Amino acid sequence: MNLRVNQNENSKIYKPNRNSTLGFSIWNEMFAELVQSRELIIRLFIRDISARYKQSVLGIIWTFIMPIFAVGVFVYLNYSGVLNVGETKIPYPAYALLGITIWQLFATGITSSTGSLVGAGNLIGKINFAKESLVISSLAQTVFDFLIRTALIAVVFLIYGITPSWTTIFLPIAIVPLILLTLGFGFILSVLNAVFRDVSQIISFVITFFLFITPVLYPVPTTEPMMTLTKFNPVATLVIGARDLVIEGGLTQTYEFMYSAIFSLILFLLSWRMFHIMEPKIAERI
Amino acid sequence: MDDVVIKASGVSKKFSRDIKSLMKYGVYDIGKTTLGMDIDCSILRPKEFWAVDEVSFELHRGETLGIIGKNGSGKSTLLKMLNGIFMPDKGTIEVKGRVGALIEVGAGFHPLLTGRENIYVNGTILGMSKKEIDAKFDDIVKFADIGDFLDSPVKSYSSGMYVRLGFAVAVHTEPDILLVDEILAVGDREFQLKCYQKIQQIKKRGVSVILVSHNEYTVREQTSKCLYLSKGKMRYFGPTEEAINYYIKDSLEEKIIQVEDIKNQHLSKAPKAEILSIQFLDKNLKEISYIESGQEINIVLECLINKVLKNPIFGVNFYDGAGFMYCSNSDYECVNFDEILPGNIKVKINIPQFHLPQNKYSCSTIIAEENVTNLVDWKDKAYTFVVGRAKNARGSIKLPTKWDVGIYEKGE
């Protein structure tokens, strides 16, 4: 396998490498590269954010339209009786909006990070730079959208007169595992997508499928087999956990949340390592 | 390696010519790597080929190296390996110093962002910190010479402005080694000159430069040493002049094989006369396929005359890649042959000073009767001939000159 060996700051040796010689030093190298590319990550993030709405009339309003539309459909189905989602702790529109906003952190995060390498294919083939930056900065955009959308949630909560629990202050910490999970998948999928483009197609419908088996637009199921299925779905437990902090005042599925958080961390570290090892090979695959 | 900044030893790179196998190998490689296993890169799998094959060279501080070769000879792939974009599959590359690469200028530009924003984005991708860009910003803008367009989106730029801005950013990254791919061809002549001046300027600071080009003039003007690649293999590594000679001779041999078929075409099935062959001879009447510009040359046409030709006209035309360059024609030159009887004949043309500029030429020959439009036989671009640069010439050609220095008085 191939690897860049950094001798000192400006001296490099490029060679086809023995994977077995990597050992533990790879983590040092990975962290060093991450620290080195922080400015690039920020710059790419600013670039994408400022370019995104340059040629658009509604601009940032689009960030709100997507969740409003998704929730609107379900609110209509619920009230018209086509779909019965059952009792929710807070009024359904607020509940669904909160759920979908957290969910979208994962969903759009996966979609955009999967496409991040292929989308920058031209750049990758022409300039040598840390490609982690592309995946991370694309996720940073999703987190940015999430932050903007919390404003929409605040407005809806105000309209319904709902007071969020005091535990909401832990929300920023609670979404960290969800971000790690997204990045973990993002690192693997972006590389796979560089090899075969089918990945981005598959992802779009797997995400839709997961939206339906994850209690985002409906309350946590209390009947089998959905109950067990939800417990083993790390996305579900992480989304439920984050939502619980806002409306329940604590975690309702503490163990499941912890397990999922640990799973996310391990997945993130392994896929980051894989990404780093594959990185020199990406340019010739795109 | 004291003043050696790049040392490549036995560097090879393989590619797959088939996209399905590319995908298959991709999955296989990822799988194996993830499981922590080694992949033997040094063997070819089906449908793979060596794009760069066992290339070794050294680049010293302040030196300029040219890489020449035809399209697809592995020049860009080698350059991308030196830049670390591709990893070699065999061999090692040792690089000492910060590498700046101009493989495609403006590769990182976002069309909707302004020139100002793109300078920062591109600069960061190329490895500059914000502080460095801030410090260089005015120089970059001045060099790019984009005027009022600085705050317009780059998609409204002309291609020249685009290239100028891209080059300006890349050249201000203060590299120790600058890799330049055939990109400067995009800009206008004036800008190209400015770029090469800039390259000369940074060379004086001890920066080493690698220049990839298939333009012999550029390489000759800019480099003293050259690496000539042919089908991924290193054909020659040494003085530029020699490398270019190898390059031109190789392309000549290939051309001759290609034109074999054309040679046997005739205007009519039973021509009154046929041109059988053409020979180029030097002043000692030795057969040649290459001549230095300005030397004496003899062109000999071997013809078979089937029927009596009245007032025949013989002609030889030279074309460079772009068009018609030179013609020698017995009619224009008022040479009258009256009548030629059937049989094998030789037509000799002596050109005392052959002043075509250095280039590769294709050559057409004609036989006509009475006037030039009444063609009897015509071999269109059937032969190839190479003209090399004249000794001690600065430009493309060297004309015979006489110099005179004397004192004169006003009003004389």
Side-chain angles (χ1 to χ4, degrees):
Chain A
M1 200 48 301
N2 306 307
L3 174 81
R4 259 196 316 261
V5 184
N6 282 319
Q7 279 196 322
N8 58 50
E9 202 194 342
N10 275 330
S11 211
K12 291 170 223 85
I13 296 177
Y14 302 126
K15 62 176 178 187
N17 195 70
R18 306 279 135 230
N19 208 1
S20 43
T21 60
L22 281 176
F24 199 74
S25 66
I26 189 174
W27 295 102
N28 291 336
E29 198 185 291
M30 284 158 64
F31 277 106
E33 191 166 282
L34 185 68
V35 172
Q36 243 173 36
S37 46
R38 64 188 189 284
E39 220 170 310
L40 177 58
I41 295 171
I42 295 165
R43 190 57 69 183
L44 288 172
F45 166 71
I46 297 172
R47 177 193 77 169
D48 293 337
I49 288 290
S50 53
R52 189 161 58 167
Y53 299 121
K54 275 253 160 115
Q55 216 168 17
S56 129
V57 179
L58 292 180
I60 203 128
I61 296 172
W62 282 112
T63 316
F64 300 119
I65 292 177
M66 208 267 126
I68 290 174
F69 184 75
V71 168
V73 171
F74 274 83
V75 168
Y76 172 76
L77 292 176
N78 194 21
Y79 283 111
S80 63
V82 178
L83 208 77
N84 188 11
V85 293
E87 278 300 302
T88 49
K89 178 138 188 183
I90 56 171
Y92 182 69
Y95 179 88
L97 186 68
L98 179 61
I100 203 116
T101 304
I102 302 169
W103 160 258
Q104 260 165 3
L105 187 57
F106 172 76
T108 40
I110 290 279
T111 318
S112 67
S113 53
T114 301
S116 62
L117 291 184
V118 172
N122 189 37
L123 196 59
I124 290 172
K126 304 287 157 47
I127 302 174
N128 183 14
F129 63 103
K131 287 146 202 85
E132 280 101 331
S133 330
L134 291 169
V135 181
I136 297 172
S137 77
S138 77
L139 194 76
Q141 260 191 85
T142 321
V143 176
F144 177 78
D145 285 351
F146 172 79
L147 294 176
I148 292 178
R149 283 172 185 159
T150 52
L152 180 67
I153 298 174
V155 171
V156 172
F157 271 42
L158 217 64
I159 292 170
Y160 284 97
I162 307 160
T163 320
S165 318
W166 70 273
T167 47
T168 306
I169 55 168
F170 295 116
L171 188 65
I173 301 167
I175 62 164
V176 169
L178 191 63
I179 291 172
L180 290 182
L181 183 76
T182 314
L183 261 181
F185 282 121
F187 276 138
I188 301 174
L189 293 172
S190 61
V191 173
L192 287 177
N193 193 40
V195 178
F196 40 176
R197 305 286 190 271
D198 311 54
V199 174
S200 59
Q201 307 288 334
I202 297 168
I203 285 303
S204 68
F205 74 76
V206 169
I207 290 282
T208 316
F209 173 72
F210 260 74
L211 175 62
F212 290 109
I213 64 161
T214 304
V216 171
L217 291 160
Y218 53 88
V220 181
T222 46
T223 53
E224 294 295 353
M226 278 299 278
M227 205 169 91
T228 319
L229 195 68
T230 307
K231 283 187 175 171
F232 284 100
N233 174 355
V235 191
T237 51
L238 292 177
V239 172
I240 292 168
R243 187 174 54 198
D244 283 349
L245 290 178
V246 181
I247 58 175
E248 299 285 352
L251 296 173
T252 55
Q253 301 185 339
T254 316
Y255 288 119
E256 288 85 346
F257 183 83
M258 289 302 168
Y259 289 140
S260 299
I262 292 166
F263 171 79
S264 303
L265 181 66
I266 293 171
L267 177 79
F268 165 72
L269 291 174
L270 287 181
S271 64
W272 183 21
R273 185 178 183 276
M274 187 217 83
F275 186 93
H276 188 78
I277 297 171
M278 285 310 296
E279 198 185 352
K281 277 270 179 189
I282 291 171
E284 60 197 83
R285 299 277 169 218
I286 275 186
Chain B
M1 50 192 256
D2 30 289
D3 76 329
V4 176
V5 287
I6 291 185
K7 188 179 178 190
S9 16
V11 172
S12 306
K13 179 85 211 160
K14 62 183 176 184
F15 279 136
S16 167
R17 35 177 131 247
D18 175 279
I19 202 138
K20 284 282 182 294
S21 1
L22 179 76
M23 286 163 65
K24 198 173 86 191
Y25 299 144
V27 179
Y28 181 78
D29 289 357
I30 290 179
K32 261 195 136 177
T33 313
T34 313
L35 295 174
M37 284 187 274
D38 283 337
I39 296 166
D40 190 0
C41 308
S42 63
I43 41 170
L44 287 186
R45 296 172 283 194
K47 294 199 175 146
E48 283 187 328
F49 66 99
W50 292 111
V52 173
D53 198 357
E54 297 282 339
V55 171
S56 306
F57 69 91
E58 279 182 1
L59 178 72
H60 297 262
R61 191 173 306 286
E63 202 175 45
T64 307
L65 175 73
I67 302 180
I68 52 170
K70 290 199 313 176
N71 286 332
S73 57
K75 304 188 296 286
S76 295
T77 308
L78 179 60
L79 203 68
K80 284 180 179 183
M81 282 195 281
L82 298 177
N83 191 209
I85 295 174
F86 293 160
M87 289 292 132
D89 284 320
K90 264 199 288 185
T92 52
I93 302 172
E94 289 172 62
V95 181
K96 233 182 185 180
R98 183 171 175 170
V99 180
L102 280 153
I103 288 177
E104 187 183 293
V105 280
F109 284 176
H110 194 296
L112 288 176
L113 296 185
T114 64
R116 185 188 297 274
E117 288 166 312
N118 269 309
I119 289 175
Y120 278 94
V121 175
N122 206 227
T124 315
I125 296 173
L126 292 170
M128 290 162 94
S129 66
K130 184 170 180 297
K131 240 190 234 163
E132 283 177 274
I133 304 173
D134 283 340
K136 296 277 170 58
F137 190 84
D138 292 338
D139 288 345
I140 294 173
V141 173
K142 198 174 152 220
F143 188 89
D145 193 21
I146 46 172
D148 301 336
F149 279 85
L150 180 61
D151 288 306
S152 312
V154 296
K155 72 169 182 176
S156 64
Y157 282 26
S158 73
S159 53
M161 290 163 75
Y162 202 84
V163 176
R164 288 209 296 274
L165 189 61
F167 183 84
V169 177
V171 90
H172 283 91
T173 54
E174 296 245 322
D176 301 313
I177 304 159
L178 183 67
L179 310 176
V180 187
D181 204 346
E182 188 107 58
I183 38 156
L184 301 179
V186 189
D188 56 24
R189 189 71 199 135
E190 193 192 344
F191 180 68
Q192 280 180 25
L193 222 63
K194 201 169 155 190
C195 291
Y196 287 122
Q197 271 165 9
K198 185 79 193 175
I199 290 175
Q200 293 291 347
Q201 201 184 320
I202 62 171
K203 258 165 70 178
K204 284 195 188 116
R205 292 204 310 253
V207 176
S208 314
V209 181
I210 292 189
L211 190 72
V212 164
S213 183
H214 43 241
N215 183 340
E216 295 116 53
Y217 295 107
T218 312
V219 174
R220 177 167 278 136
E221 289 305 314
Q222 297 292 326
T223 70
S224 49
K225 242 176 161 184
C226 238
L227 180 72
Y228 165 36
L229 286 179
S230 174
K231 289 174 188 157
K233 289 198 171 63
M234 193 164 78
R235 275 275 283 137
Y236 185 81
F237 175 54
T240 301
E241 213 51 57
E242 278 296 299
I244 289 176
N245 278 345
Y246 274 107
Y247 175 44
I248 291 177
K249 275 177 194 160
D250 274 6
S251 51
L252 173 73
E253 275 162 25
E254 277 168 38
K255 202 68 175 265
I256 283 176
I257 298 163
Q258 284 168 19
V259 295
E260 283 296 331
D261 298 336
I262 312 172
K263 279 190 185 172
N264 299 320
Q265 283 174 14
H266 302 290
L267 280 181
S268 67
K269 284 204 172 134
K272 287 174 95 172
E274 280 174 52
I275 301 155
L276 297 176
S277 74
I278 184 166
Q279 270 185 313
F280 301 96
L281 307 174
D282 66 5
K283 59 177 181 231
N284 303 321
L285 301 181
K286 212 180 100 206
E287 190 167 353
I288 46 168
S289 58
Y290 166 88
I291 193 172
E292 246 169 50
S293 180
Q295 296 293 309
E296 179 180 339
I297 189 171
N298 294 291
I299 302 170
V300 179
L301 304 179
E302 254 182 26
C303 307
L304 173 67
I305 313 292
N306 297 321
K307 284 177 191 156
V308 177
L309 286 181
K310 277 186 184 148
N311 290 326
I313 299 164
F314 297 95
V316 181
N317 299 344
F318 285 89
Y319 304 82
D320 68 356
F324 194 26
M325 280 298 286
Y326 168 77
C327 172
S328 181
N329 183 303
S330 59
D331 185 37
Y332 304 151
E333 276 146 36
C334 300
V335 184
N336 203 334
F337 294 112
D338 268 346
E339 195 178 86
I340 295 181
L341 297 173
N344 279 304
I345 60 153
K346 270 187 181 176
V347 184
K348 288 183 191 161
I349 307 150
N350 174 270
I351 304 169
Q353 287 178 332
F354 195 66
H355 280 303
L356 285 192
Q358 178 208 39
N359 207 337
K360 194 167 64 199
Y361 295 93
S362 21
C363 174
S364 301
T365 52
I366 60 154
I367 305 177
E369 208 175 5
E370 307 279 4
N371 69 65
V372 188
T373 52
N374 182 23
L375 289 172
V376 176
D377 193 14
W378 176 35
K379 297 286 192 284
D380 188 26
K381 294 176 188 163
Y383 313 95
T384 315
F385 189 72
V386 173
V387 178
R389 192 163 74 150
K391 279 214 175 76
N392 306 322
R394 268 299 283 169
S396 302
I397 58 169
K398 191 179 187 215
L399 296 175
T401 42
K402 273 183 190 146
W403 293 76
D404 189 25
V405 182
I407 301 166
Y408 71 100
E409 275 161 39
K410 271 190 182 160
E412 194 185 344

